[in-house]
Amino acid sequence: MRAANYADNRTVVTLLDYISQIADQDPLIVTPYFSSVVTHEYYDKFGRYIENDYNVSQRPWWNDLLKQNLYIEDPQRDLSGRLALAMRQPLYRNNTLIGSAGMDIQMTEFT
């Protein structure tokens, strides 16, 4: 259920821990993330985004993501002004779409 309390949901807690571990491994990783096709919520190293107006299936990149196995956006400036690249991939379990996973990567070392 969207916006449900996940403090006791071991799967969500484990997912958020895993996202933080990935982010901590490399300073060029801005944040890894996961989006759920069930709740349309977005999770990254800062937690979960559940604002009523944020629905991952309504994001401009969602339909392009579903058409491709790997979706890479053109580099853009992030909120802090750094050049970053977003990569996403749809996730399937038993041939059923469950969401997407991806990460934003700083491009400072490549420019």
Side-chain angles (χ1 to χ4, degrees):
M1 176 183 354
R2 187 173 175 87
N5 182 349
Y6 63 80
D8 294 329
N9 184 327
R10 191 71 203 136
T11 301
V12 173
V13 171
T14 300
L15 171 68
L16 292 173
D17 286 346
Y18 184 64
I19 287 172
S20 291
Q21 289 173 20
I22 292 171
D24 291 343
Q25 289 181 13
D26 190 328
L28 294 179
I29 296 175
V30 177
T31 187
Y33 40 79
F34 170 77
S35 58
S36 169
V37 74
V38 175
T39 63
H40 304 289
E41 295 171 324
Y42 174 89
Y43 302 82
D44 68 12
K45 70 179 182 179
F46 303 107
R48 172 177 63 173
Y49 295 82
I50 56 173
E51 292 84 7
N52 288 332
D53 63 342
Y54 194 95
N55 179 325
V56 293
S57 67
Q58 311 267 319
R59 304 305 296 169
W61 49 264
W62 185 257
N63 287 328
D64 291 334
L65 169 75
L66 297 180
K67 294 175 191 172
Q68 305 170 35
N69 190 37
L70 179 63
Y71 176 72
I72 302 174
E73 287 184 358
D74 290 333
Q76 299 177 16
R77 300 273 173 202
D78 65 13
L79 295 175
S80 65
R82 297 172 299 195
L83 191 61
L85 177 80
M87 300 184 312
R88 296 177 179 87
Q89 184 170 17
L91 292 177
Y92 295 89
R93 181 185 297 146
N94 299 325
N95 294 319
T96 301
L97 180 68
I98 62 169
S100 70
M103 68 177 63
D104 291 346
I105 301 172
Q106 284 186 45
M107 300 298 293
T108 53
E109 297 294 317
F110 305 103
T111 57

